[in-house]
Amino acid sequence: MMASFSLGEYVVIDEMLYPFRGRCRWIQYIPSKPAKYGIKMYALCDAKFLYTSNLEFYCGRQPEGPFVSLNSPFDVVKRLVAPIANSNRNLTTDNYYTSVPLSNYLLEQNVTSIGTMKKNKKKIPPKFLPNKHRAVQSTLFGFQENKMITSHVPKKNKGVLLLSTLYNADEIDPTTNKPQVIMDYNATKGGVDTVDKMCASYSVSRITRRCPCVIFYSFMNIAEINAHVLHSFAKPRDSPKFRGIFLKNMALTLMKEHLIFRASLPMLPSDIRAFLNSNYGPPAEKIHEERQAPKRGTCRSCVAEKKRTSASIKCHRCNGFTCKRHSKTAVVCNQCQKEDDSQSH
């Protein structure tokens, strides 16, 4: 997917959950997601344009062999960011992925990071943890080499901890009185969640008990979002304003060849045949000519003899009516016909 679209400077990694309650050994329960139960997928997407660049399904613990892979947050991020290594982009993660070892690894790959941290991490200084003695809207900054930890108190007895390798200064937004690192985190954290919401609003999925079908439907939903992003960049003037119109046009374009074939089938219900002929059948002028073409006519040779003989036979060359008296029927045996066919080939 990286060959089709170049990601922006801000990317985000998060998980999606596709609804599924059939038989599957790696069904996940995530109470914060709308579906609650389903198949989990890790995704790397652009935080601004919502283009999904890399993804990976959670398949549980695999047996020993060539396809075994670790499912720790560090290993998942390591596999997903491999295509954007040495690109000087910034990665946004939530507290499930953020850790000091991960930040150090991303710096080695020339990728900066912003992410919230869980309050039970051992490496967090006690002064940065929320407590009742800290004032509301107060902020603490801590610096160590290329990393910065930020502790902000939005409400009483509440605190937000962030670890960042993008900032090296205690910048605070003057309008909201929040650290700039929190403002950037809020602006980029919802990329994957927005893609998940867009997949649910226009989905190709059907009710099924087979997990491979759910995976296929998820690929189709993400592919249509990526197609809309690419079309918006390739043809910004022709791109429709609403995504639903784009999906309808794309679906009809993909089905056009098959609909043209169906329009030529005689055994179809009248309403379907009328719809296909009006949209994908032959031109209306040709249909009108075929309907108005007479079945019988006057022989041209008889008219020259001042006779008007009605005829239903047409000449194969000039397509004109002729009677039996002024036409010839060629009789050829099967052996001669085979010889003529062999010579023509």
Side-chain angles (χ1 to χ4, degrees):
M1 297 183 183
M2 287 288 292
S4 302
F5 184 81
S6 180
L7 297 177
E9 57 180 341
Y10 290 98
V11 296
V12 58
I13 288 180
D14 205 350
E15 59 268 358
M16 298 181 183
L17 190 71
Y18 283 90
F20 183 67
R21 288 180 176 265
R23 288 189 176 183
C24 184
R25 290 186 293 180
W26 52 80
I27 286 183
Q28 294 288 295
Y29 170 69
I30 303 179
S32 60
K33 298 293 183 180
K36 308 296 183 185
Y37 291 91
I39 297 178
K40 184 170 69 173
M41 181 184 69
Y42 304 103
L44 169 70
C45 73
D46 190 285
K48 182 179 180 180
F49 300 108
L50 308 179
Y51 183 90
T52 304
S53 174
N54 200 4
L55 50 87
E56 177 182 314
F57 278 92
Y58 173 78
C59 299
R61 184 176 180 180
Q62 299 297 313
E64 296 295 333
F67 300 103
V68 64
S69 60
L70 300 177
N71 295 317
S72 64
F74 180 87
D75 295 296
V76 170
V77 175
K78 183 178 178 180
R79 291 192 294 268
L80 290 178
V81 300
I84 62 171
N86 300 317
S87 62
N88 294 323
R89 290 183 172 90
N90 182 81
L91 176 66
T92 303
T93 57
D94 59 10
N95 56 15
Y96 176 73
Y97 306 94
T98 307
S99 63
V100 175
L102 178 61
S103 300
N104 294 332
Y105 171 78
L106 292 175
L107 282 177
E108 295 176 358
Q109 303 297 319
N110 292 329
V111 177
T112 58
S113 61
I114 299 175
T116 55
M117 295 185 66
K118 294 181 179 180
K119 301 176 181 62
N120 57 359
K121 297 291 184 180
K122 296 181 180 180
K123 297 184 178 181
I124 299 176
K127 292 184 179 180
F128 286 80
L129 296 176
N131 57 74
K132 60 182 179 180
H133 300 291
R134 291 186 57 183
V136 180
Q137 297 296 329
S138 63
T139 305
L140 289 178
F141 296 94
F143 302 92
Q144 183 184 22
E145 296 179 355
N146 297 323
K147 295 180 287 295
M148 181 186 72
I149 185 173
T150 305
S151 176
H152 181 71
V153 181
K155 297 180 181 179
K156 190 175 182 179
N157 295 334
K158 299 291 183 179
V160 180
L161 292 172
L162 290 96
L163 179 65
S164 173
T165 59
L166 180 63
Y167 292 95
N168 290 320
D170 51 351
E171 300 180 10
I172 295 181
D173 186 78
T175 57
T176 59
N177 201 24
K178 293 181 180 180
Q180 187 62 37
V181 62
I182 293 182
M183 300 296 294
D184 290 346
Y185 175 79
N186 293 335
T188 58
K189 68 175 181 178
V192 177
D193 293 334
T194 305
V195 172
D196 199 2
K197 183 178 179 180
M198 294 171 66
C199 291
S201 60
Y202 292 98
S203 177
V204 300
S205 61
R206 297 294 181 267
I207 298 176
T208 179
R209 291 289 180 177
R210 299 180 60 196
C211 60
C213 293
V214 178
I215 296 175
F216 173 74
Y217 295 149
S218 64
F219 284 154
M220 292 292 292
N221 292 331
I222 294 176
E224 58 89 0
I225 296 176
N226 289 352
H228 187 217
V229 174
L230 293 176
H231 189 269
S232 300
F233 275 91
K235 298 181 179 180
R237 296 183 179 180
D238 300 337
S239 181
K241 183 178 180 180
F242 300 100
R243 189 165 65 98
I245 300 176
F246 169 79
L247 295 179
K248 182 179 179 181
N249 296 338
M250 183 180 67
L252 293 176
T253 303
L254 293 174
M255 295 187 299
K256 185 176 181 180
E257 183 177 355
H258 179 67
L259 293 176
I260 292 174
F261 168 74
R262 289 203 67 191
S264 62
L265 299 179
M267 302 300 294
L268 281 177
S270 58
D271 54 343
I272 298 178
R273 185 170 61 253
F275 172 78
L276 294 176
N277 285 328
S278 60
N279 293 277
Y280 304 98
E285 298 177 357
K286 185 176 180 181
I287 297 176
H288 182 72
E289 291 177 0
E290 292 179 354
R291 291 180 179 176
Q292 298 298 328
K295 296 182 179 180
R296 299 183 66 88
T298 305
C299 177
R300 294 189 302 171
S301 301
C302 292
V303 172
E305 298 177 357
K306 297 183 179 181
K307 297 180 181 179
R308 298 187 61 85
T309 305
S310 178
S312 60
I313 305 173
K314 285 187 176 182
C315 178
H316 294 288
R317 292 186 178 180
C318 65
N319 203 29
F321 288 101
T322 181
C323 63
K324 293 182 179 181
R325 188 164 61 91
H326 294 103
S327 60
K328 295 182 179 181
T329 304
V331 179
V332 182
C333 65
N334 295 335
Q335 186 66 26
C336 295
Q337 184 66 34
K338 291 180 180 179
E339 293 178 359
D340 294 342
D341 294 340
S342 62
Q343 291 178 1
S344 61
H345 290 297

